[in-house]
Amino acid sequence: MGCRALLWVVVAVSWLCIQARVLHSQGLLECSSSDSQALLDLMSNFESPVQGWGPNVSANCCDWAGVLCDGSTGLGRVVELALASKKLTGSLSDSLGQLDQLRFLNLSHNLLKSTLPESLLRLPKLQILDLSYNEFFGPVPASANLPSLRVFNISENSFNGSLPVWICTNLTGIQVLNLAVNYFSDVIPPGLGNCSSLQNLSLAMNNLRGGISEDIFTLGHLVQLSLQKNLFSGPLGSGIGSIPDVFQNMKKLQYFIIQSNGFKGSIPFSLSNLPSLKFLNLYNNSLTGTIVLNCSALSSLVTLDLGSNNFSGPIPEDLPNCQQLQRVNLARNKFTTPIPQSFKNFSSLVYLSISNSSLSNLSSALGILQHCENLTVLLLTLNYFNEELPGGASLSFPKLKVLVIANGQLTGSMPQWVRRCTRLQLLDLSWNRLGGMIPSWIGDLQSLIYLDLSNNSFVGEIPKEITRLSGLIDRNLSIASPDLQVFIRRNGSVRGLQYNRVTSFPPTVNLGYNALNGSIWPEFGNLKNVHILDLTRNFLSGSIPASLSGMTSLETLDLSYNNLSGSIPSSLVHLTFLSKFGVAYNNLSGPIPKGGQFPTFPSSSFEGTKLWDDNDPFHAGSQSHPGSVGQSQNHSRSANHAMSDISLGMTIGVAFGMAIGIVLGTTRISDSCLCEIIRFYARVKSSM
Ligand SMILES: *[C@@H]1O[C@H](CO)[C@@H](O)[C@H](O)[C@H]1NC(C)=O
Ligand SMILES: *[C@@H]1O[C@H](CO)[C@@H](O)[C@H](O)[C@H]1NC(C)=O
Ligand SMILES: *[C@@H]1O[C@H](CO)[C@@H](O)[C@H](O)[C@H]1NC(C)=O
Ligand SMILES: *[C@@H]1O[C@H](CO)[C@@H](O)[C@H](O)[C@H]1NC(C)=O
Ligand SMILES: *[C@@H]1O[C@H](CO)[C@@H](O)[C@H](O)[C@H]1NC(C)=O
Ligand SMILES: *[C@@H]1O[C@H](CO)[C@@H](O)[C@H](O)[C@H]1NC(C)=O
Ligand SMILES: *[C@@H]1O[C@H](CO)[C@@H](O)[C@H](O)[C@H]1NC(C)=O
Ligand SMILES: *[C@@H]1O[C@H](CO)[C@@H](O)[C@H](O)[C@H]1NC(C)=O
Ligand SMILES: *[C@@H]1O[C@H](CO)[C@@H](O)[C@H](O)[C@H]1NC(C)=O
Ligand SMILES: *[C@@H]1O[C@H](CO)[C@@H](O)[C@H](O)[C@H]1NC(C)=O
Ligand SMILES: *[C@@H]1O[C@H](CO)[C@@H](O)[C@H](O)[C@H]1NC(C)=O
Ligand SMILES: *[C@@H]1O[C@H](CO)[C@@H](O)[C@H](O)[C@H]1NC(C)=O
């Protein structure tokens, strides 16, 4: 009983509260007529009305969607406008300047396309301005007065001209300045120093050049500095004078990101001794000299990316003394020493890449690294040329999820120790000279999602155990390993860069370019998670199992250059994601299945076989079948043929052309792109 009474009290109180709020917003706050007019003006400059706005919704603009008013002056004054992701198009009206009580304006993720009205930069109370992800263009107006501003985010637009550092003059309290992904050009003009409270500064992905301006090094509160993908050059440090120790004033700097610029010289002493630093990304510059880092000082460092530079000398022995250091990329440099003994003590290490760095003595490297108890990702591609891949009776990597030792021309056979890496999700030993059979214990690697043993000399049958790997069967599994952060380029241009991360590799079985024989197990049909099955250039015989139609995620199926016989099972038309298909140069005969994705495959997919296309006497296999009649209706074939070209840019062009000219479904285009992206990955993986 007492309980029920209590419940009624709660209900009554809640009702009173709700009534009070309704009164507050509807009764007490009547939108001021000037604000009301300003919002109507704003709306009339958009190309379509804002949902939930206008006199039809309410005479009181404080009731409109995304509008928040404050009534402390008696009248309802607009203080917040939350209009993100409303599909707004058109331009921004000057009338915004009348909203002189506005504190928060969020217009991000719309399609607004105009220059910035000057009046917007004269709002005395504005604290947060978010215009990111639109199509605003032109220079930022040359004068501004936003004394209350804390956050200025205009990233992902098309602003150009020189960097609007002048806004700092009247913006002394600003904490976040995000100008990334625009077309700002030229050097950084002086003036950023007046933004003295700045914590996060991003100028990434513009066309800025010159050095880092001296002003930036005076910003003592800076936590994050992102300059990646510009045209910066010169020494890493001050752009003007030659003071090397510019980082010592930046006592709070945690994230320093200058990836993909043209910085030269060595790592400045003050940077290599910065205790606050957590994330240091100098990837893809032209830095030289020996890597000298003081790990006693770098006590917060978690991620270190020095890949794709011109560093030389020894791999720094001191690294294991960086107590927090988990992710290390040293790929694409020129080291003169092997992995040092001190790495036995590198217990915090989770991710290590030293691909393409002129390393030798793989046996010693593995012997050392097996002591790294937390090692999860190991990438050693393009090193150790012509050495033997150690069988390593005693080696063990209990936590390893990703192992890539490719492109080394390594000899030997499938190493026994790999069998004990029971958590392995990605195994890539491609482009070596490994021989013998692929052992049946591969079936012990139940987490395997990506297997690449292509371009070796493996013989014998494909072990049937591969068809029982749950990582390849369970559609919901993807590679989940610690990864290095990468930065994806401007909207839509090169989506492929995403494949620079191991975690975005598609589920794959690639055994191509070996000497495997026997037949394709019908049980391959169980592998519902596999996106790419590549068995090209082996000696496989027998027929193509109809059950392969069970591989419902399949995007690429390459069985070309084998001794397969029989016909193509018509069940394969059910593989709706298939965008690349190859059975060329086999003993196949019979009709090419109709339907599904088949009409989109180029004639080269079927070359060197006795297959025929009922509809296309000219583009069928090399021997056109006498019985075949009809006209070519597969315009897309030649277009698709071009997909085998390696240039990614071209692929996007071709895909785009197909989209317009041939009206293929969008999924198909992106899948085709995917294949190219994978090949693109093959080329970039040496830089990871
Ligand atoms: C408001 O309602 C009137 C009459 O129903 C209609 O003609 C007008 O288009 C509406 N205006 C807007 C902005 O929806
Ligand atoms: C603006 O809205 C977008 C989308 O809802 C959101 O992601 C973003 O964080 C908002 N910006 C601010 C400064 O709150
Ligand atoms: C700073 O604000 C003042 C007062 O509004 C204005 O006159 C001046 O032009 C502004 N300076 C800059 C660089 O925007
Ligand atoms: C713009 O930057 C601010 C401050 O960093 C952030 O809160 C907001 O989420 C960003 N906007 C979007 C759309 O990401
Ligand atoms: C900025 O872009 C506009 C068009 O969007 C162009 O007309 C103008 O020349 C550009 N200015 C600079 C400095 O690049
Ligand atoms: C700050 O702005 C003033 C103009 O108001 C200018 O004279 C001064 O040089 C600026 N300081 C820095 C560090 O940019
Ligand atoms: C600045 O960036 C750091 C690191 O990304 C982030 O944790 C922090 O929240 C950002 N600060 C502001 C004020 O947005
Ligand atoms: C490296 O940086 C250059 C510009 O300096 C850029 O063109 C190139 O795409 C970058 N490479 C990678 C792999 O990020
Ligand atoms: C690296 O150094 C070599 C010579 O030592 C030079 O030829 C090459 O251009 C340099 N590469 C870069 C990216 O600076
Ligand atoms: C490395 O850092 C420690 C701790 O800050 C410091 O005592 C030592 O002098 C530094 N070593 C060098 C060579 O700079
Ligand atoms: C590992 O660390 C211990 C104690 O810190 C030290 O005695 C030993 O020499 C180190 N081993 C190597 C190979 O550096
Ligand atoms: C190794 O990983 C475990 C689990 O993630 C963690 O608790 C431990 O602190 C790590 N060891 C070191 C030395 O970082």
Side-chain angles (χ1 to χ4, degrees), residues 151-205:
V151 171
F152 188 69
N153 187 350
I154 59 167
S155 61
E156 302 269 357
N157 280 287
S158 297
F159 288 109
N160 66 2
S162 62
L163 207 65
V165 296
W166 54 83
I167 57 178
C168 285
T169 319
N170 285 335
L171 238 84
T172 48
I174 195 163
Q175 293 168 357
V176 179
L177 186 54
N178 189 346
L179 308 177
V181 200
N182 280 291
Y183 297 101
F184 292 117
S185 55
D186 216 337
V187 301
I188 304 177
L192 273 175
N194 273 330
C195 281
S196 55
S197 309
L198 211 52
Q199 293 174 9
N200 290 2
L201 174 61
S202 180
L203 309 178
M205 300 189 221

Coordinates of all heavy atoms in Angstrom, one line a residue, residues 151-205:
V151 N 35.1 27.7 -29.3 CA 35.3 26.6 -30.3 C 34.9 27.2 -31.7 O 33.8 27.7 -31.9 CB 34.3 25.4 -30.0 CG1 34.4 24.4 -31.2 CG2 34.8 24.7 -28.8
F152 N 35.9 27.0 -32.6 CA 35.7 27.5 -34.0 C 36.0 26.3 -34.9 O 37.2 26.0 -35.1 CB 36.6 28.7 -34.3 CG 36.4 29.4 -35.6 CD1 35.2 30.1 -35.8 CD2 37.4 29.3 -36.6 CE1 35.1 30.8 -37.0 CE2 37.2 30.0 -37.8 CZ 36.0 30.7 -38.0
N153 N 35.0 25.7 -35.5 CA 35.2 24.5 -36.3 C 34.6 24.7 -37.7 O 33.4 24.7 -37.9 CB 34.5 23.3 -35.6 CG 34.9 22.0 -36.3 OD1 35.4 22.0 -37.4 ND2 34.5 20.9 -35.7
I154 N 35.5 25.0 -38.6 CA 35.0 25.2 -40.0 C 35.7 24.1 -40.9 O 35.8 24.3 -42.1 CB 35.3 26.6 -40.5 CG1 36.8 26.9 -40.5 CG2 34.5 27.6 -39.8 CD1 37.2 28.1 -41.3
S155 N 36.0 22.9 -40.3 CA 36.7 21.9 -41.1 C 35.8 21.3 -42.2 O 34.6 21.4 -42.1 CB 37.2 20.8 -40.1 OG 36.1 20.2 -39.5
E156 N 36.4 20.6 -43.1 CA 35.6 19.9 -44.2 C 34.7 20.9 -45.0 O 33.5 20.7 -45.1 CB 34.8 18.8 -43.7 CG 35.6 17.7 -42.9 CD 36.1 16.6 -43.8 OE1 35.8 16.6 -45.0 OE2 36.8 15.7 -43.3
N157 N 35.3 22.0 -45.5 CA 34.6 22.9 -46.4 C 35.6 23.2 -47.5 O 36.5 22.5 -47.7 CB 34.2 24.2 -45.6 CG 33.0 24.0 -44.8 OD1 31.9 23.9 -45.3 ND2 33.1 23.9 -43.5
S158 N 35.3 24.3 -48.3 CA 36.2 24.6 -49.4 C 36.7 26.0 -49.2 O 36.9 26.8 -50.2 CB 35.4 24.5 -50.7 OG 35.1 23.1 -50.9
F159 N 37.0 26.4 -48.0 CA 37.5 27.8 -47.8 C 38.9 27.8 -48.4 O 39.6 26.8 -48.4 CB 37.6 28.1 -46.3 CG 36.3 28.3 -45.6 CD1 35.8 27.4 -44.7 CD2 35.6 29.5 -45.9 CE1 34.6 27.6 -44.1 CE2 34.4 29.7 -45.3 CZ 33.8 28.8 -44.4
N160 N 39.3 29.0 -48.9 CA 40.6 29.2 -49.4 C 41.2 30.5 -49.0 O 40.7 31.1 -48.1 CB 40.6 28.9 -51.0 CG 39.8 30.0 -51.7 OD1 39.3 30.9 -51.1 ND2 39.7 29.9 -53.0
G161 N 42.3 30.9 -49.7 CA 43.0 32.1 -49.3 C 44.0 31.8 -48.3 O 44.2 30.6 -48.0
S162 N 44.5 32.8 -47.6 CA 45.5 32.4 -46.6 C 44.8 32.2 -45.3 O 43.6 32.5 -45.1 CB 46.6 33.5 -46.5 OG 46.0 34.7 -46.1
L163 N 45.5 31.5 -44.4 CA 45.0 31.1 -43.1 C 44.5 32.3 -42.3 O 45.2 33.2 -42.1 CB 46.1 30.4 -42.4 CG 45.7 29.3 -41.4 CD1 45.0 28.1 -42.1 CD2 46.9 28.8 -40.6
P164 N 43.2 32.2 -41.8 CA 42.6 33.4 -41.2 C 43.1 33.6 -39.7 O 42.3 33.6 -38.8 CB 41.1 33.1 -41.2 CG 41.0 31.6 -41.2 CD 42.2 31.1 -41.9
V165 N 44.4 33.8 -39.6 CA 45.0 33.9 -38.2 C 44.6 35.2 -37.6 O 44.6 35.4 -36.4 CB 46.5 33.8 -38.2 CG1 46.9 32.4 -38.7 CG2 47.2 34.8 -39.1
W166 N 44.2 36.2 -38.4 CA 43.8 37.5 -37.8 C 42.6 37.4 -36.8 O 42.5 38.2 -36.0 CB 43.4 38.5 -38.9 CG 42.4 37.9 -39.9 CD1 41.0 38.0 -39.6 CD2 42.6 37.3 -41.1 NE1 40.4 37.4 -40.7 CE2 41.3 36.9 -41.6 CE3 43.7 36.9 -41.9 CZ2 41.1 36.3 -42.8 CZ3 43.5 36.3 -43.0 CH2 42.2 35.9 -43.5
I167 N 41.8 36.3 -37.0 CA 40.7 36.2 -36.0 C 41.3 36.1 -34.6 O 40.6 36.4 -33.7 CB 39.8 35.0 -36.4 CG1 40.5 33.7 -36.4 CG2 39.0 35.2 -37.6 CD1 39.6 32.5 -36.7
C168 N 42.5 35.7 -34.4 CA 43.1 35.5 -33.1 C 43.1 36.9 -32.3 O 43.1 36.9 -31.1 CB 44.5 34.9 -33.1 SG 44.4 33.1 -33.5
T169 N 43.2 38.0 -33.1 CA 43.4 39.3 -32.4 C 42.2 39.5 -31.5 O 42.4 40.0 -30.4 CB 43.4 40.4 -33.5 OG1 44.2 39.9 -34.6 CG2 43.9 41.7 -32.9
N170 N 41.0 39.2 -31.9 CA 39.8 39.4 -31.1 C 39.2 38.1 -30.6 O 38.0 38.0 -30.3 CB 38.7 40.1 -32.0 CG 39.1 41.6 -32.2 OD1 39.8 42.2 -31.4 ND2 38.6 42.2 -33.3
L171 N 40.0 37.1 -30.4 CA 39.5 35.8 -30.0 C 40.4 35.2 -28.9 O 40.7 34.0 -29.0 CB 39.6 34.9 -31.3 CG 38.4 34.2 -31.8 CD1 37.7 35.2 -32.8 CD2 38.8 33.0 -32.6
T172 N 40.7 36.0 -28.0 CA 41.8 35.5 -27.1 C 41.4 34.3 -26.2 O 42.3 33.6 -25.7 CB 42.2 36.7 -26.2 OG1 41.1 37.3 -25.7 CG2 43.0 37.7 -27.0
G173 N 40.1 34.0 -26.1 CA 39.7 32.9 -25.2 C 39.5 31.6 -25.9 O 39.1 30.6 -25.3
I174 N 39.8 31.6 -27.2 CA 39.5 30.4 -28.0 C 40.3 29.2 -27.6 O 41.5 29.3 -27.3 CB 39.7 30.7 -29.5 CG1 39.0 29.6 -30.3 CG2 41.1 30.9 -29.9 CD1 38.7 29.9 -31.7
Q175 N 39.7 28.0 -27.5 CA 40.3 26.8 -27.1 C 40.5 25.8 -28.3 O 41.5 25.0 -28.3 CB 39.5 26.1 -26.0 CG 39.6 26.9 -24.7 CD 38.6 26.4 -23.7 OE1 37.8 25.5 -23.9 NE2 38.6 27.1 -22.5
V176 N 39.6 25.8 -29.2 CA 39.7 24.8 -30.3 C 39.5 25.6 -31.6 O 38.6 26.3 -31.8 CB 38.5 23.8 -30.2 CG1 38.6 22.8 -31.4 CG2 38.6 23.0 -29.0
L177 N 40.5 25.4 -32.5 CA 40.5 26.1 -33.8 C 40.7 25.0 -34.8 O 41.8 24.4 -34.9 CB 41.6 27.1 -33.8 CG 41.7 28.0 -35.1 CD1 40.4 28.7 -35.4 CD2 42.8 29.0 -34.9
N178 N 39.7 24.6 -35.5 CA 39.8 23.5 -36.5 C 39.5 24.0 -37.9 O 38.4 24.3 -38.2 CB 38.8 22.4 -36.1 CG 39.0 21.1 -36.9 OD1 39.7 21.2 -37.9 ND2 38.4 20.0 -36.5
L179 N 40.6 24.1 -38.6 CA 40.5 24.6 -40.0 C 40.8 23.5 -41.0 O 41.1 23.8 -42.2 CB 41.5 25.8 -40.2 CG 41.4 26.9 -39.1 CD1 42.4 28.0 -39.4 CD2 40.0 27.6 -39.2
A180 N 40.8 22.3 -40.6 CA 41.3 21.2 -41.4 C 40.4 20.9 -42.6 O 39.2 21.3 -42.6 CB 41.3 19.9 -40.5
V181 N 41.0 20.3 -43.6 CA 40.3 19.8 -44.8 C 39.6 21.0 -45.5 O 38.4 21.0 -45.6 CB 39.3 18.7 -44.6 CG1 39.1 18.0 -45.9 CG2 39.9 17.7 -43.6
N182 N 40.4 22.0 -45.9 CA 39.9 23.1 -46.7 C 41.0 23.4 -47.7 O 41.9 22.5 -47.9 CB 39.7 24.4 -45.8 CG 38.4 24.3 -45.1 OD1 37.3 24.4 -45.7 ND2 38.4 24.1 -43.8
Y183 N 41.0 24.5 -48.4 CA 42.1 24.8 -49.4 C 42.9 26.0 -49.0 O 43.3 26.8 -49.8 CB 41.4 25.0 -50.7 CG 40.7 23.8 -51.3 CD1 39.3 23.7 -51.2 CD2 41.4 22.7 -51.8 CE1 38.7 22.6 -51.7 CE2 40.8 21.6 -52.3 CZ 39.4 21.5 -52.2 OH 38.8 20.4 -52.7
F184 N 43.1 26.2 -47.7 CA 44.0 27.3 -47.3 C 45.4 27.1 -47.8 O 45.9 26.0 -47.8 CB 44.0 27.4 -45.7 CG 42.7 27.8 -45.1 CD1 42.0 27.0 -44.3 CD2 42.1 29.1 -45.5 CE1 40.7 27.4 -43.8 CE2 40.9 29.5 -44.9 CZ 40.2 28.6 -44.1
S185 N 46.0 28.2 -48.3 CA 47.3 28.0 -48.9 C 48.3 29.0 -48.3 O 48.0 29.8 -47.5 CB 47.1 28.2 -50.4 OG 46.5 29.4 -50.7
D186 N 49.5 29.0 -48.9 CA 50.5 29.9 -48.5 C 51.1 29.5 -47.1 O 50.8 28.5 -46.5 CB 50.0 31.3 -48.5 CG 51.1 32.3 -49.0 OD1 52.3 31.9 -48.9 OD2 50.8 33.4 -49.4
V187 N 52.0 30.3 -46.6 CA 52.6 30.1 -45.3 C 51.7 30.5 -44.2 O 50.7 31.1 -44.4 CB 54.0 30.8 -45.1 CG1 54.9 30.4 -46.2 CG2 53.7 32.3 -45.2
I188 N 51.9 30.0 -43.0 CA 51.1 30.5 -41.8 C 51.5 31.9 -41.5 O 52.6 32.1 -41.1 CB 51.3 29.6 -40.6 CG1 51.1 28.1 -40.9 CG2 50.5 30.0 -39.4 CD1 51.4 27.1 -39.8
P189 N 50.6 32.8 -41.6 CA 51.0 34.2 -41.3 C 51.2 34.4 -39.8 O 50.6 33.6 -39.0 CB 49.8 35.1 -41.8 CG 48.8 34.1 -42.4 CD 49.2 32.7 -42.0
P190 N 51.9 35.4 -39.4 CA 52.0 35.6 -37.9 C 50.7 36.0 -37.3 O 49.9 36.7 -38.0 CB 53.1 36.8 -37.8 CG 53.2 37.3 -39.2 CD 52.6 36.4 -40.2
G191 N 50.5 35.7 -36.1 CA 49.3 36.1 -35.4 C 48.6 35.1 -34.5 O 47.8 35.4 -33.6
L192 N 48.9 33.8 -34.8 CA 48.3 32.7 -34.0 C 48.7 32.8 -32.5 O 47.9 32.3 -31.7 CB 48.8 31.3 -34.5 CG 48.0 30.7 -35.7 CD1 48.7 29.4 -36.1 CD2 46.6 30.4 -35.2
G193 N 49.8 33.5 -32.3 CA 50.2 33.6 -30.9 C 49.2 34.3 -30.0 O 49.1 34.1 -28.8
N194 N 48.3 35.1 -30.6 CA 47.3 35.8 -29.8 C 46.2 34.9 -29.3 O 45.4 35.2 -28.4 CB 46.7 37.0 -30.6 CG 47.5 38.3 -30.4 OD1 48.1 38.5 -29.4 ND2 47.5 39.1 -31.4
C195 N 46.0 33.7 -30.0 CA 45.1 32.7 -29.5 C 45.7 32.0 -28.3 O 46.0 30.7 -28.4 CB 44.7 31.7 -30.6 SG 43.5 32.3 -31.8
S196 N 46.0 32.7 -27.3 CA 46.9 32.1 -26.3 C 46.3 31.0 -25.4 O 47.1 30.4 -24.7 CB 47.5 33.3 -25.4 OG 46.4 34.0 -24.9
S197 N 45.0 30.8 -25.5 CA 44.4 29.8 -24.7 C 44.2 28.5 -25.5 O 43.6 27.5 -25.0 CB 43.1 30.2 -24.1 OG 43.2 31.4 -23.5
L198 N 44.7 28.5 -26.7 CA 44.4 27.4 -27.6 C 44.8 26.0 -27.1 O 46.0 25.9 -26.6 CB 45.1 27.7 -28.9 CG 44.4 27.2 -30.2 CD1 43.0 27.6 -30.3 CD2 45.2 27.7 -31.4
Q199 N 43.9 25.1 -27.1 CA 44.3 23.7 -26.7 C 44.4 22.8 -27.9 O 45.3 22.0 -28.0 CB 43.2 23.1 -25.8 CG 43.1 23.9 -24.5 CD 42.0 23.4 -23.6 OE1 41.3 22.4 -23.9 NE2 41.8 24.1 -22.5
N200 N 43.5 22.9 -28.9 CA 43.5 22.0 -30.0 C 43.6 22.9 -31.3 O 42.7 23.7 -31.6 CB 42.3 21.1 -30.1 CG 42.3 20.1 -29.0 OD1 43.2 20.1 -28.2 ND2 41.3 19.2 -29.0
L201 N 44.6 22.6 -32.1 CA 44.8 23.4 -33.3 C 44.9 22.4 -34.5 O 45.9 21.6 -34.5 CB 46.0 24.3 -33.3 CG 46.4 25.0 -34.6 CD1 45.3 25.9 -35.0 CD2 47.7 25.8 -34.4
S202 N 44.0 22.4 -35.4 CA 44.1 21.5 -36.6 C 44.1 22.3 -37.9 O 43.2 23.0 -38.2 CB 43.1 20.4 -36.6 OG 43.3 19.6 -37.8
L203 N 45.2 22.2 -38.6 CA 45.4 22.8 -39.9 C 45.5 21.7 -41.0 O 45.9 22.0 -42.1 CB 46.6 23.7 -39.9 CG 46.7 24.7 -38.8 CD1 48.0 25.5 -38.9 CD2 45.5 25.7 -38.8
A204 N 45.2 20.5 -40.6 CA 45.5 19.3 -41.4 C 44.8 19.4 -42.8 O 43.7 20.0 -42.9 CB 45.0 18.0 -40.7
M205 N 45.4 18.8 -43.8 CA 44.8 18.6 -45.1 C 44.4 20.0 -45.8 O 43.3 20.2 -46.1 CB 43.7 17.7 -45.1 CG 44.1 16.3 -44.7 SD 42.9 15.0 -44.9 CE 43.1 14.2 -43.3

